[in-house]
Every structure is written in structure tokens, then in C-alpha cells.
Amino acid sequence: MALLNILTQEDEQLRKHSRKVEKFDARLHTLIDDMRETLLNSGGVGLAAPQVGVLRRVVVLLDINKDPEEVVELVNPEVIEQSGEQRIVEGCLSVPGVYGYVTRPTWAKIRAQDRDGNWFEREGEGVVAQCFCHETEHLDGHLFTEKVEEYVDPEDLQRGDEEEDAE
């Protein structure tokens, strides 16, 4: 496994539409394994293949609602249902140091294939629903900054965390 370079917002690759995965082979498995290792070393909760320069419909994300956290692998994912609404602060590994309020569903269901091509559905709430939407948007060439309603100063986020820690 290898750590992959995460592209930043200046890279035009991030604005391109990803192609559907049709071959479920060792090359795909290596990509998923490398993306998994990169995600776990990044401090983020989700990573889409375009963020590492591969225009394929592949996502890895952390289901932080599970104990212990579970890495979820999604090939050819699509959000098929969603409900509720939450206005939350979001960031992105490809837009380091930038945070802003976006509106996302509180619950979402995704349909995807696993690394071997088997179809499955999975539901997520809160951050996981947010991540389903955020990462699938990457596959269509979109960044969260297109949805930001109000930017947040990263120092304000840090102060908020420090205040919570002090309680």
C-alpha cells in the first residue's frame, strides 16, 4: 500500500466527471487499498478517487457512527434517498484550511458496489450522510465550496474546540 498525493483545488482534475468502474480487478483493489491508507493518514473522513488524480467513481469514507469506526468502500456510488436538513460546517482535504456552512441531509441512503462488483445499499446519519453527499459530488467534478453559504474562520473552529475541551 502507498500514500497517495491529495490534489488541491487549483488542480483542474477535480472539476472533471469521473468514469464508471467496469473492471473489478487487482488494479482497482490496489487503488482502494491506497486510498484507504491515504484517508486514514489524512485526518479526514472521506476521500474520492479524483482527489488523488484518478477519474474513476471510487470513494472511501469513515463511518464514525460505528464503534470502532469502519472504513466503507464505495464503487460507482449514488445517493438514492435522503431526508432532513442540517446546516453544518464542512471542510475538504482538497481545500485545506477552508471551512464553511453547507446544508446537507440528516439521513441518506447510498447504492454502490463493493471492490468485487457486488451491489449493496447503506444508510447513514449525520456526518456519514454528509460524507455520502460530499464525496459523490467529487465524482461529478464539484467541490464543497460551490455550496458554502457562509465561510468560517478556522481559528474560530479551534477556539470552539478548546472551549469544549475546557468544559
Side-chain angles (χ1 to χ4, degrees):
M1 288 193 284
L3 288 178
L4 303 171
N5 182 43
I6 298 174
L7 303 179
T8 56
Q9 64 185 339
E10 299 81 23
D11 197 305
E12 283 303 311
Q13 286 269 106
L14 293 171
R15 286 168 185 75
K16 293 181 179 175
H17 190 84
S18 296
R19 294 184 302 278
K20 182 178 180 181
V21 172
E22 309 228 353
K23 291 174 83 176
F24 295 83
D25 56 10
R27 191 171 170 186
L28 173 66
H29 295 191
T30 299
L31 172 64
I32 292 170
D33 292 342
D34 291 348
M35 287 177 62
R36 176 189 203 107
E37 184 174 351
T38 302
L39 175 64
L40 293 173
N41 280 281
S42 72
V45 292
L47 184 67
Q51 291 179 274
V52 295
V54 178
L55 291 175
R56 291 284 185 263
R57 299 187 78 77
V58 178
V59 166
V60 293
L61 60 90
L62 283 177
D63 186 337
I64 64 168
N65 296 336
K66 300 281 185 193
D67 189 19
E69 293 177 345
E70 179 183 347
V71 177
V72 180
E73 302 171 354
L74 305 169
V75 180
N76 299 321
E78 59 182 302
V79 176
I80 56 172
E81 287 182 55
Q82 56 188 25
S83 65
E85 192 173 274
Q86 57 183 342
R87 186 172 187 260
I88 43 163
V89 175
E90 196 166 288
C92 179
L93 294 171
S94 290
V95 191
V98 176
Y99 301 91
Y101 283 99
V102 296
T103 300
R104 298 281 189 195
T106 55
W107 174 88
K109 182 189 281 188
I110 201 157
R111 182 172 188 261
Q113 290 171 280
D114 65 18
R115 63 173 52 218
D116 297 313
N118 302 305
W119 286 97
F120 67 95
E121 292 180 359
R122 188 175 183 119
E123 299 178 26
E125 292 183 309
V127 172
V128 176
Q130 170 191 2
C131 201
F132 284 167
C133 296
H134 178 113
E135 299 307 331
T136 55
E137 287 171 1
H138 272 301
L139 302 178
D140 294 325
H142 299 287
L143 294 173
F144 90 102
T145 51
E146 297 170 34
K147 296 181 102 47
V148 170
E149 300 156 6
E150 173 188 354
Y151 285 96
V152 177
D153 185 332
E155 289 183 16
D156 290 342
L157 290 177
Q158 248 179 339
R159 275 196 292 274
D161 288 345
E162 289 168 3
E163 289 169 12
E164 284 177 22
D165 292 343
E167 291 177 0

